[in-house]
């Protein structure tokens, strides 16, 4: 599918639609993923898919329907199904209108070499990883995926945006007898992969964490690398940084706008147009995405809006609508944390006794208002004593308020890393935090 | 359908595949959600396509497309072969499939009421009715009521001569109320959290839930929790209700018993397992009361089907017998490691995913206690109900769960309500502390329709049969 095919579908839907307002989202994607473990490829796949989603509104009643059958008959049936669903809905008095807005056509996020990456190319990258790990008798596990997508959004009020995008993502775990490490590459351009240095750093970390000691749970100074920081910001993003969460009083931002909640060293925002991130410049209502600052020098500032939540409050959409139907409201997808001026080496130097964490595993909220979450460390947890990493340690469980942790940020690195999140991404630095609450330890 | 299946198998054969299978899957999802008086979701979602899996010189290749045509079948099979050939260059050991009988089979979920025949108006009315009751108190900030229905048609054919048609029907639903006051947030859900209960049944599953009849209690408990005492931090005896225990089984028995995890296939993402092949037959997983099956044949359970996505018939097998580990969840590729054949757990999340080892219905078999007797037998402890959050490490050994609600147990009686309960433990220690399991009168199979695993991410629909059980000397109130 290309832009002109999309226009054909837009025209067909608009010609068929009988509703007061109609929105159409079309996406087409070619993706491939090569997965490896025990230093061999064990799963290897590719997928081609296209799909169309319709939202119909008549007399304030909203219905949606979705299909991945792209023949004319199926599309017409889907429009009718959305209209039928709308007819059965009660009127939503808070719905005002779909957005109008100017057209956005974007190809900045698309790199041809990423789109054309072959199974042989992906296999060669995995082979190169294994050559490096074999030298140290270490095992490699991970996945290498390449994706090309085209997304178009249009509505009957004339809004229309089309964007082309690519993604390359390599995640890597290097495993020793009793230790492991993690590294990730996430970029629109597969050519930016610096494989050898990425793998060698991870190898060094696996070797350094061999023979892990057991440390007792308690409060420690902690250095969190970017993957762990991104995990924390991701929880804040989906649980409390959207207007719907605030409206429903389930956001930690409620009653706190304008107040300092976290360290003045910390600022973070959403910005899909930042060249260091990956993202479409428009949302799933075709609205151009705005930069939205959530915390500025520790002070709670704003949340993101889609057209529904913005119209309800007399505001303007910030371009953060998710695909319909969406009961969760708008969510930021391109989180960015402001860089500091430090380095991980300087953080380690400054630490009398502390713990360095590569990444978290299986984190989950216990209290979204107090932002208390729990999870485990994974793939490289180290003990720091007297300004030096002295050994790897067994993985620890933490039970900790995210906002309380961000209030105790003492240092932030200059370097940031783009981390692929559960949805969207996060450009995150490493941070040093005092009094991080570890509550348990793994036996293995 | 057969044109596509045959074309893919023919092309795979011509190009030298040692084995091939092809699945055509069509999934229809209808979902409805009412939140705070508004019908926030009424949708109709149709996804169809086919996936071809080939084995060439000991390497897998998988490719999938949403375009159902003979030409596309040929092109996608070529792509799957190219992928398998690329994998040959990074191979340590050739894939060797254990034997499976060729099957010509058919399976259809038995239903009393086809959920797609029930008028949408009736479904919406029920959700609006429950929503109205949930919101009768202003302290309820968010009232959620929802239901979903799935009809999945699967056509499977393999180069070994299998041809299987299946139609799986699922129905699910539930309600929840969130109460918020003075910076405190509490939630109650029914019949379970995370959307409620889900089963392979028809609309009768929704009727049986009696959502409207339970709405008032759910609302009132959410509000009462705002004033309840916080669960203390201490080591004590706990009794878990069957729905929380279902997730405990899921995370600390189901996942660690997946043989692909044990063999390292999930090392970079979902994680591995503290179990190993040599532990089968000797490892003490829990107390002698602990008996666990993987049973894909339980009528109405969410993890029930006729055949897995390798064409292996649904089975019942023991994972733990009298507290000792006896087996794993296996595939045709992995079962040979145990000198066995597959026990039929390979399932894919739709046409565009290659099958993985997934849980079916993983069940803690009932004991012989009455619930009332179990409470009466407990001098000092806490009874915890309905999952709120879950977390476990990448080897499935250190877990922490929070539940929505708990009650103190004092001198054999349920006492005051407790808020923010949570508990933590180490998997084999925890299961070894199990000293009482309620009988089959209290045994419920809970659907878990959100089990994530694999890259690209796949979501499996699985289930767990459990009855309330007691565990001694468990740490509760973590992080206080």
């Amino acid at each position: 599918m290309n832009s002109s095919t999309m226009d054909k579908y837009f025209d067909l839907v608009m010609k068929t639609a009988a509703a007061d307002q109609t929105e159409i989202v079309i996406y087409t994607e070619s993706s491939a993923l090569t997965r490896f473990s025990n230093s061999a490829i064990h799963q290897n796949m590719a997928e081609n898919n296209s799909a169309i989603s319709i939202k119909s509104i008549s007399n304030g009643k909203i219905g949606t329907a979705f299909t991945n059958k792209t023949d004319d008959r199926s599309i017409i049936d889907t429009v009718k199904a959305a209209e039928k669903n709308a007819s059965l809905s009660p009127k939503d008095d808070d719905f005002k209108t779909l957005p109008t807005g100017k057209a956005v056509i974007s190809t900045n996020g698309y790199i041809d070499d990423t789109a054309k990456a072959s199974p042989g190319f992906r296999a060669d990258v995995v082979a190169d990883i294994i050559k490096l790990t074999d030298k140290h008798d270490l095992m490699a596990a991970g996945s290498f995926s390449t994706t090309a997508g085209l997304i178009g959004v249009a509505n009957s009020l004339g809004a229309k945006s089309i964007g082309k995008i690519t993604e390359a993502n390599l995640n890597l775990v290097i495993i020793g007898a009793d230790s492991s490490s993690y590294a990730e590459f996430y970029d629109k351009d597969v050519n930016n992969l610096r494989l050898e240095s990425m793998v060698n750093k991870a190898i060094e970390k696996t070797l350094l964490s061999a023979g892990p000691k057991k440390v007792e749970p308690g409060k420690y100074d902690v250095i969190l690398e970017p993957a762990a920081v991104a995990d924390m910001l991701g929880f804040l993003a989906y649980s409390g940084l959207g207007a719907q969460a605030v409206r429903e009083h389930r956001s930690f931002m409620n009653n706190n706008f304008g107040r300092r909640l976290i360290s003045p060293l910390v600022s973070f925002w959403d910005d899909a147009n930042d060249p260091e991130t990956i993202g479409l410049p428009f949302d799933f209502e075709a609205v151009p995405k705005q930069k939205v600052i959530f915390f500025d020098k520790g002070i709670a500032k704003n949340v993101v809006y889609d057209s529904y939540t913005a119209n309800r409050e007399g505001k303007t959409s910030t371009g953060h609508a998710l695909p319909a139907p969406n009961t969760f409201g708008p969510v930021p997808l391109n989180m960015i944390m402001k860089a500091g001026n430090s380095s991980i080496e300087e953080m380690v130097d400054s630490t009398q006794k502390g713990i360095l964490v590569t990444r978290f595993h299986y984190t989950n909220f216990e209290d979204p208002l107090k932002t208390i979450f729990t999870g485990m460390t994974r793939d490289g947890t180290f003990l720091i004593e007297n300004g030096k990493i002295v050994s790897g340690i067994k993985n620890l469980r933490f039970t900790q308020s995210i906002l309380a942790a961000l209030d105790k940020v003492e240092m932030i690195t200059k370097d940031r890393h783009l981390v692929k999140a559960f949805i969207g991404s996060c450009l995150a630095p490493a941070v040093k935090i005092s009094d991080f609450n570890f509550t348990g330890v793994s036996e293995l | 359908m057969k044109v596509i299946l045959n074309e893919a198998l023919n092309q795979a054969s011509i190009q030298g595949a040692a084995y091939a299978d092809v699945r055509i899957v069509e999934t229809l999802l209808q979902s409805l959600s009412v939140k705070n008086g508004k019908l926030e979701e009424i949708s109709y979602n149709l996804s169809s396509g086919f996936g071809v899996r080939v084995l060439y010189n000991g390497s897998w290749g998988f490719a999938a497309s949403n375009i159902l045509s003979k030409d596309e079948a040929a092109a996608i099979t070529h792509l799957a072969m190219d992928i398998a050939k690329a994998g040959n260059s990074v191979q340590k050991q050739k894939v060797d499939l254990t034997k499976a009988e060729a099957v010509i089979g058919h399976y259809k979920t038995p239903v009393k009421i086809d959920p797609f025949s029930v008028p949408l108006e009736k479904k919406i009315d029920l959700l609006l009715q429950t929503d109205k009751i949930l919101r009768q108190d202003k302290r309820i900030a968010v009232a959620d009521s929802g239901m979903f229905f799935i009809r999945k048609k699967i056509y499977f054919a393999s180069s070994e001569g299998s041809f299987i048609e299946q139609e799986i029907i699922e129905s699910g639903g539930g309600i929840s109320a969130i109460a918020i006051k003075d910076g405190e947030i509490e939630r109650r859900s029914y019949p379970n959290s995370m959307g409620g209960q889900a089963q392979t049944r028809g609309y009768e599953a929704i009727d049986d839930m009696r959502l409207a009849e339970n709405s008032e209690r759910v609302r009132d408990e959410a509000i009462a929790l705002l004033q309840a005492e916080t669960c203390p931090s201490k080591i004590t005896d706990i009794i878990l209700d069957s729905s929380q225990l279902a997730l405990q089984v899921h995370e600390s028995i189901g996942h660690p018993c997946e043989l692909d995890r044990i063999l390292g296939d999930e090392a970079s993402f979902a994680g591995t397992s503290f179990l190993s092949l040599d532990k089968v037959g000797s490892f003490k997983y829990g107390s002698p009361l602990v008996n666990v099956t993987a049973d894909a044949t339980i009528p109405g359970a969410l993890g029930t089907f006729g055949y897995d996505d390798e064409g292996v018939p649904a089975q019942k097998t023991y994972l733990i017998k009298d507290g000792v580990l006896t087996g794993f969840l296996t595939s045709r590729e992995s079962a040979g490691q145990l000198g066995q054949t597959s026990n039929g757990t390979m399932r894919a999340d739709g046409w565009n995913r290659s099958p993985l080892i997934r849980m079916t219905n993983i069940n803690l078999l009932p004991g012989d206690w009455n619930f009332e007797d179990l409470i009466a037998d407990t001098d000092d402890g806490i009874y915890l109900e309905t999952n709120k959050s879950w977390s476990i490490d990448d080897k499935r050994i250190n877990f922490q769960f929070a539940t929505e609600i708990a009650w103190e147990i004092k001198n054999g009686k349920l006492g005051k309500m407790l808020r923010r309960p949570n508990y933590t433990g180490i998997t084999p220690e925890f299961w070894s502390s199990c000293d009482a399991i309620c009988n089959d009168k209290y045994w419920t199979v809970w659907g878990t329709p959100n089990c994530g695993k694999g890259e690209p991410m796949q979501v499996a629909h699985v289930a767990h049969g459990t009855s309330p059980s007691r565990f001694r000397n468990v740490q509760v109130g973590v992080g206080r």
Side-chain angles (χ1 to χ4, degrees), chain A residues 31-51 62-70 77-78 81 84-86 88-95 119-120 122-124 126-127 130 134 139 141-143 169 171-173 175 180 182 244 247-251 308 312 325-329 359 361-370 372 374-379 395-399 422 437 439-444, chain B residues 26 30-31 33 35-49 59-68 72 76 79 82-84 86-87 89-93 120-121 124 128 141-142 144 178 180 183-185 250-251 255 260-261 263-274 333 351-356 388-402 419-422 424 426 429 453-457 478-480:
Chain A
S31 59
L33 185 143
T34 298
R35 214 169 177 214
F36 50 103
S37 67
N38 298 308
S39 295
I41 290 173
H42 68 296
Q43 287 164 21
N44 213 348
M45 60 84 69
E47 173 196 354
N48 298 325
N49 195 11
S50 298
I62 305 168
T64 60
F66 171 98
T67 185
N68 74 339
K69 291 186 172 180
T70 53
D77 287 348
T78 306
K84 184 187 170 195
N85 285 340
L88 295 169
S89 297
K91 185 170 186 247
D92 184 343
D93 291 328
D94 284 332
F95 175 82
R122 285 187 296 277
D124 287 346
V126 176
I130 292 165
D134 275 354
M139 291 283 202
S143 67
N169 185 214
N171 71 67
L172 175 65
V173 173
I175 303 164
S180 60
Y182 174 74
Q244 182 87 350
R247 170 89 172 187
E248 292 170 354
H249 305 283
R250 57 179 171 79
S251 167
Y308 180 90
R312 191 170 54 190
N326 165 29
T327 62
F328 208 73
R359 67 164 168 160
H361 177 76
Y362 222 142
T363 44
N364 211 330
F365 260 139
E366 291 201 355
D367 187 326
L369 275 186
K370 295 184 174 66
I372 295 168
T374 186
M376 294 290 298
T377 67
R378 175 179 182 182
D379 296 325
N395 287 315
L396 290 161
R397 171 168 296 287
F398 55 87
T399 307
F422 185 63
N437 191 25
T439 54
V441 60
S442 170
E443 295 298 303
L444 297 176
Chain B
E26 180 178 284
Q30 182 186 73
S31 51
S33 172
K35 183 156 78 171
N36 289 351
K38 289 182 180 169
L39 188 61
E40 288 224 333
E41 180 180 11
I42 174 167
S43 66
Y44 166 99
N45 185 322
L46 180 66
S47 176
S48 64
S59 291
W60 286 116
F62 176 83
S65 170
N66 66 315
I67 298 169
L68 289 162
E72 187 74 353
I76 286 294
L79 178 56
D82 285 347
I83 290 170
S89 63
V90 195
Q91 187 188 69
K92 284 263 159 78
Q93 200 174 351
L120 276 166
E121 291 90 331
I124 294 168
L128 290 171
V142 183
D144 258 317
I178 295 176
I180 299 176
E184 303 295 339
I185 181 167
H250 179 95
E251 302 289 8
H255 277 307
D260 56 346
R261 291 181 70 115
L263 297 174
D265 288 358
E266 291 289 329
S268 66
F269 182 64
T272 57
S273 173
F274 68 95
E333 179 180 346
W351 55 269
N352 53 353
R353 295 289 180 267
S354 189
L356 300 173
K388 184 158 80 175
S389 89
W390 61 97
S391 173
I392 191 163
D393 72 321
D394 59 315
K395 292 189 171 57
R396 303 271 149 182
I397 192 110
N398 178 312
F399 61 79
Q400 183 163 314
F401 292 96
R419 62 191 293 262
R420 292 180 61 206
N422 65 5
T424 190
I426 300 296
E429 288 174 13
K453 182 179 176 183
E455 293 174 292
M457 171 67 92
V478 189
R480 303 288 140 80

Side-chain angles (χ1 to χ4, degrees), chain A residues 303-319:
Chain A
V303 293
V304 295
Y305 286 83
D306 55 14
S307 73
Y308 180 90
T309 53
N311 289 339
R312 191 170 54 190
E313 296 180 27
K315 294 186 173 177
T316 305
S317 170
T318 58

Side-chain angles (χ1 to χ4, degrees), chain A residues 197-403:
Chain A
S197 95
M198 174 180 168
V199 177
N200 281 334
K201 273 186 198 166
I203 287 172
E204 195 180 317
K205 220 170 175 182
T206 301
L207 297 173
L208 187 61
S209 58
K213 294 176 182 169
K214 187 173 177 179
V215 301
E216 290 305 311
K219 290 195 173 179
Y220 288 86
D221 285 354
V222 67
I223 298 167
L224 302 179
E225 292 199 350
V229 174
D231 206 333
M232 293 201 300
L233 295 190
F235 268 100
L236 297 182
Y238 95 81
S239 70
L241 294 177
Q244 182 87 350
V246 174
R247 170 89 172 187
E248 292 170 354
H249 305 283
R250 57 179 171 79
S251 167
F252 52 86
M253 300 290 269
N254 283 96
N255 306 316
N256 284 321
F257 288 101
R259 293 179 60 193
R260 191 185 74 75
L261 297 184
I262 58 178
S263 164
L265 296 176
V266 178
S267 299
F268 59 91
W269 56 85
D270 182 275
D271 187 5
N273 295 301
D274 187 302
E276 289 190 67
T277 192
I278 296 177
L280 287 166
F282 57 88
D283 70 1
F284 289 91
E285 292 180 319
V287 175
K289 289 192 171 183
Q290 308 298 315
K291 178 177 177 178
V292 177
I293 297 172
F294 305 121
F295 281 86
D296 184 23
K297 295 176 184 163
I299 296 170
K301 289 289 184 185
N302 303 295
V303 293
V304 295
Y305 286 83
D306 55 14
S307 73
Y308 180 90
T309 53
N311 289 339
R312 191 170 54 190
E313 296 180 27
K315 294 186 173 177
T316 305
S317 170
T318 58
H320 289 86
L322 294 183
N326 165 29
T327 62
F328 208 73
V331 170
L333 299 177
N334 297 96
M335 298 287 285
I336 298 176
M337 184 168 170
K338 188 180 178 186
N341 53 15
S342 187
S343 67
I344 288 181
E345 291 74 23
E346 287 168 348
M347 290 175 176
V348 171
D349 281 348
S350 72
T351 304
Q352 282 302 302
K353 184 167 187 183
I355 288 167
L356 185 146
V357 175
T358 299
R359 67 164 168 160
F360 294 149
H361 177 76
Y362 222 142
T363 44
N364 211 330
F365 260 139
E366 291 201 355
D367 187 326
L369 275 186
K370 295 184 174 66
T371 66
I372 295 168
F373 79 144
T374 186
M376 294 290 298
T377 67
R378 175 179 182 182
D379 296 325
T381 310
F382 297 90
L383 179 65
I384 303 164
E385 285 179 340
N386 302 317
K388 288 196 166 45
I389 291 175
V390 292
S391 73
I393 56 174
K394 291 182 187 292
N395 287 315
L396 290 161
R397 171 168 296 287
F398 55 87
T399 307
Q400 169 71 49
S401 158
I402 297 172
L403 289 179

Side-chain angles (χ1 to χ4, degrees), chain A residues 44-47, chain B residues 4-13 15 17 19-24 49-55 60-65 67 69-70 72-81 83-84 155-159 350-355:
Chain A
N44 213 348
M45 60 84 69
E47 173 196 354
Chain B
I4 292 164
L5 299 174
N6 289 337
E7 179 67 9
L9 294 178
N10 285 341
Q11 289 296 332
S13 172
Q15 292 173 60
Y19 169 85
D21 59 36
V22 53
R23 280 177 301 115
I24 301 172
F50 71 99
V52 181
R53 191 173 68 144
V54 298
L55 188 58
W60 286 116
F62 176 83
S65 170
I67 298 169
S69 72
K70 187 178 174 185
E72 187 74 353
I76 286 294
T77 306
H78 276 272
L79 178 56
M81 289 297 295
I83 290 170
Y155 304 88
F156 172 90
S158 79
S159 57
W351 55 269
N352 53 353
R353 295 289 180 267
S354 189

